[in-house]
Amino acid sequence: MKHIYTGKTKDVYELEDGNYLLKFKDDVTGVDGVFDPGANSVGLTIEGAGRSGLKLTKYFFELLNEKGIPTHYVDADIENATMTVKPAKPFGKGLEVICRYRAVGSFLRRYGLYAEEGQPLDAFVEVTIKDDERQDPPISEDALDMLGILSKAEYKVLKELTQQISGIVKDELAKKGIELYDIKLEFGRTGDDQQIILIDEISGGNMRAYKDGKYIEPLELEKLFLS
Amino acid sequence: MKHIYTGKTKDVYELEDGNYLLKFKDDVTGVDGVFDPGANSVGLTIEGAGRSGLKLTKYFFELLNEKGIPTHYVDADIENATMTVKPAKPFGKGLEVICRYRAVGSFLRRYGLYAEEGQPLDAFVEVTIKDDERQDPPISEDALDMLGILSKAEYKVLKELTQQISGIVKDELAKKGIELYDIKLEFGRTGDDQQIILIDEISGGNMRAYKDGKYIEPLELEKLFLS
C-alpha cells in the first residue's frame, strides 16, 4: 500500500483494490497542550487516542451501514487503529456539516443576540468551509451553489442525510443517558453516479456530548458510551 | 414632533400623523478619522454629508416608488436634510441584506479559498445580523426562521425584492459609467398585513461603486452620479 497523505490526526494510504486505509493517530487537535476538537492545529499526543476514536467510529458507521445510510466505511482494525474505506472525493476543498440540538459554541458566539446558551435548536444544519486560514467560515446554500462547490439538489441530500445521521447518533447516546448538543460530519461524492456518502469519522472529537448537564471530554465519551 | 431615537448617522422624530421624520446628520461612520461605511462607530463629521446622502436616497427611493417597489419613503427636504417615512418595524433587532455583483469585502475575506478578488457574482444575496458586539455575523435562511426573526415565506420576498432593487440601482449607475459591486439594504414590516418594505436609505454609504476600476468614495458618488 502507498502512503498518500498525512493529516493532522490521520494518515491515509491507498490500497491495491482501490480502497483506502485510514490510520488513526494518537495526535489530537488542541491549543497550548489542551485537547480541543474544534482547533485547527495538532496540540498534543494522547496514548490510545487513535484507537479510542476508531472504536466509536466503527460502532456508529456499522450501525449507519446497517440502517442503509451510505458511508465510506468498509471495516476497521482496532488493534492497528486502521479503518478501510471506499474512495470518495470531498466537496471543493472540504466542507464540514454541523447539526445542532442546543445553542453552544460558534452558534452562540454568532447568534447570542437571539439565542441563550443551551437553548434547544431543532436539528439545525449549517455548513462551514474547511479553511484554517479563514477560521472555517459558515457558507449558505446559495453561496455553495454559486461558487460551484455543491448544487442545490446536493445541498438538499446533504441536509437530509445530516439530520438523519445526527438523529441516529443522538438516539444511541440517549440510551446511555448522554445528550448530544451538536455534531460535525463530513461528506463526499463516490462512484460514477457521484453518490453523496458520509466520510471521515464519528467520535468524541466530532461532537459535544453532555451527561447530567456536564460536558463529556472526547476520550471519556468512548469509555462512557461503549462500557 | 417628538424626538424618539438618536442613531449613529440619523436622528428619528415621530410626526403627529403617525409618520416619522429622519434627520440625516453630518456624522459618518469610520475608524481613526477615515470614512468607512462598513464601520460600526461614528468616526468623523463631514460638512454636507447628511444632505449628500439624502440627495441620492431621494433619487433612488422616488425611482423605486415609481416602479411600484414598496418602500417607507414619503418625501424629502434636502435643505433641512430630512426625510419623511411611513412607520415600519425592523426584523428582530435589525438585519442587513447584501446583494453582491463582484467578490470584494467580507465575501472575499470569508470565501477567498474559492473566489478571486473582483470575480463576478450573480446578484448573490446574503443576510447579516445588526450586532456591533458580534461584528454583524451572516445568518442563513434556516437560522432566521428557527430563531423567529424571519419566516421562510418572508425570506423569499426579501431576496426577490433585494435582487429587484439592487438591479435597478445597478442599471441607474451604469448609465453614468459607474459599476455597482455590492449594496446593503434594510427592510421592515408595515401595516396590518405586515408588508415587507425597503427602509433606511440608499446612498454612497450603502454600496461599493467603481468607475474605470477605481473605487468611488461615498460623497464623491453623489457628485458624480447626480451631476
Side-chain angles (χ1 to χ4, degrees):
Chain A
M1 66 188 185
K2 191 173 137 206
H3 177 249
I4 55 162
Y5 179 72
T6 299
K8 277 178 277 198
T9 61
K10 292 185 203 77
D11 288 332
V12 182
Y13 300 85
E14 191 173 355
L15 299 173
E16 286 179 7
D17 64 0
N19 283 339
Y20 289 81
L21 191 81
L22 308 183
K23 168 80 180 173
F24 283 55
K25 299 194 282 193
D26 285 342
D27 296 339
V28 299
T29 54
V31 177
D32 296 332
V34 178
F35 188 5
D36 175 1
N40 277 327
S41 57
V42 168
L44 66 163
T45 299
I46 301 175
E47 176 76 27
R51 271 200 292 273
S52 172
L54 181 57
K55 278 184 202 168
L56 278 174
T57 298
K58 176 177 154 70
Y59 181 89
F60 285 119
F61 273 81
E62 288 183 351
L63 180 66
L64 293 170
N65 280 2
E66 273 170 33
K67 289 180 184 282
I69 307 270
T71 81
H72 71 159
Y73 180 85
V74 177
D75 59 38
D77 175 345
I78 301 292
E79 185 69 23
N80 292 306
T82 59
M83 178 164 89
T84 305
V85 301
K86 289 184 283 188
K89 288 216 183 314
F91 302 109
K93 292 160 190 166
L95 299 178
E96 291 183 339
V97 191
I98 300 143
C99 187
R100 300 182 180 277
Y101 295 100
R102 285 195 183 269
V104 288
S106 62
F107 185 90
L108 198 67
R109 282 196 296 279
R110 283 200 294 274
Y111 308 128
L113 191 60
Y114 295 95
E116 286 183 18
E117 183 165 4
Q119 164 185 323
L121 303 176
D122 190 17
F124 171 67
V125 172
E126 65 185 358
V127 178
T128 61
I129 288 178
K130 287 179 85 160
D131 184 351
D132 290 357
E133 195 189 321
R134 295 177 184 85
Q135 291 82 46
D136 300 339
I139 185 163
S140 70
E141 178 181 350
D142 284 350
L144 286 164
D145 180 47
M146 183 182 60
L147 294 173
I149 303 170
L150 197 70
S151 74
K152 297 231 174 192
E154 285 180 319
Y155 185 90
K156 194 166 178 286
V157 173
L158 193 76
K159 183 175 164 182
E160 282 170 4
L161 277 176
T162 297
Q163 290 180 326
Q164 204 178 351
I165 293 163
S166 304
I168 290 168
V169 173
K170 187 175 192 290
D171 290 347
E172 281 299 302
L173 293 175
K175 290 177 189 170
K176 302 274 178 140
I178 300 166
E179 185 182 350
L180 181 65
Y181 275 31
D182 54 31
I183 182 167
K184 184 179 73 185
L185 304 174
E186 290 188 36
F187 294 86
R189 297 185 188 99
T190 195
D192 292 340
D193 60 351
Q194 298 286 284
Q195 188 191 17
I196 294 178
I197 63 172
L198 182 69
I199 63 171
D200 199 47
E201 61 176 280
I202 297 184
S203 70
N206 297 72
M207 62 182 86
R208 285 195 186 87
Y210 284 66
K211 189 171 173 106
D212 303 327
K214 196 174 158 288
Y215 172 68
I216 307 166
E217 298 289 338
L219 297 181
E220 193 56 36
L221 182 67
E222 179 249 315
K223 295 194 192 88
L224 198 60
F225 179 70
L226 293 180
S227 64
Chain B
M1 66 190 187
K2 191 173 139 208
H3 176 249
I4 56 162
Y5 180 71
T6 299
K8 278 178 275 196
T9 61
K10 292 183 204 81
D11 288 332
V12 181
Y13 300 86
E14 191 174 355
L15 299 172
E16 285 178 8
D17 64 0
N19 284 338
Y20 289 82
L21 192 80
L22 307 183
K23 168 80 179 175
F24 283 55
K25 299 194 279 192
D26 286 342
D27 296 337
V28 300
T29 53
V31 177
D32 297 333
V34 178
F35 188 5
D36 175 2
N40 277 329
S41 56
V42 168
L44 65 165
T45 299
I46 301 174
E47 176 76 28
R51 271 200 292 274
S52 173
L54 181 57
K55 277 183 200 168
L56 277 174
T57 297
K58 175 177 156 71
Y59 181 89
F60 285 117
F61 272 81
E62 289 182 350
L63 180 67
L64 293 170
N65 280 1
E66 273 169 32
K67 290 181 184 279
I69 308 269
T71 81
H72 72 158
Y73 181 84
V74 176
D75 60 37
D77 175 345
I78 302 293
E79 185 68 25
N80 292 306
T82 59
M83 178 162 92
T84 305
V85 301
K86 288 184 284 188
K89 288 218 183 311
F91 301 110
K93 291 161 190 167
L95 299 178
E96 292 184 338
V97 190
I98 299 144
C99 187
R100 300 182 180 276
Y101 295 100
R102 284 194 183 271
V104 289
S106 62
F107 185 91
L108 198 67
R109 283 196 296 278
R110 283 200 295 272
Y111 307 128
L113 191 61
Y114 295 95
E116 287 183 18
E117 182 165 5
Q119 165 184 323
L121 303 176
D122 190 18
F124 171 68
V125 172
E126 66 185 358
V127 178
T128 61
I129 288 178
K130 289 179 84 159
D131 185 350
D132 290 358
E133 196 190 320
R134 296 177 184 87
Q135 290 83 46
D136 300 339
I139 185 163
S140 70
E141 179 181 350
D142 283 350
L144 286 164
D145 180 46
M146 183 183 58
L147 293 173
I149 304 170
L150 198 69
S151 74
K152 297 231 173 192
E154 285 180 319
Y155 186 90
K156 194 165 179 285
V157 172
L158 194 76
K159 183 175 164 181
E160 283 170 4
L161 277 176
T162 297
Q163 290 181 324
Q164 205 178 351
I165 293 163
S166 304
I168 290 169
V169 173
K170 187 175 192 289
D171 291 347
E172 281 298 302
L173 293 175
K175 290 177 188 169
K176 302 274 177 135
I178 300 167
E179 184 181 350
L180 182 66
Y181 274 32
D182 56 31
I183 182 167
K184 185 179 72 185
L185 304 174
E186 289 188 35
F187 293 86
R189 298 186 187 98
T190 194
D192 292 338
D193 60 351
Q194 298 287 286
Q195 187 191 18
I196 294 178
I197 63 172
L198 181 70
I199 64 170
D200 199 46
E201 62 176 280
I202 297 184
S203 71
N206 297 72
M207 61 182 86
R208 285 194 185 88
Y210 283 67
K211 190 173 173 103
D212 303 327
K214 197 174 157 289
Y215 172 68
I216 308 165
E217 298 288 339
L219 297 180
E220 192 57 36
L221 182 68
E222 178 251 314
K223 293 193 193 85
L224 197 61
F225 180 70
L226 294 180
S227 65

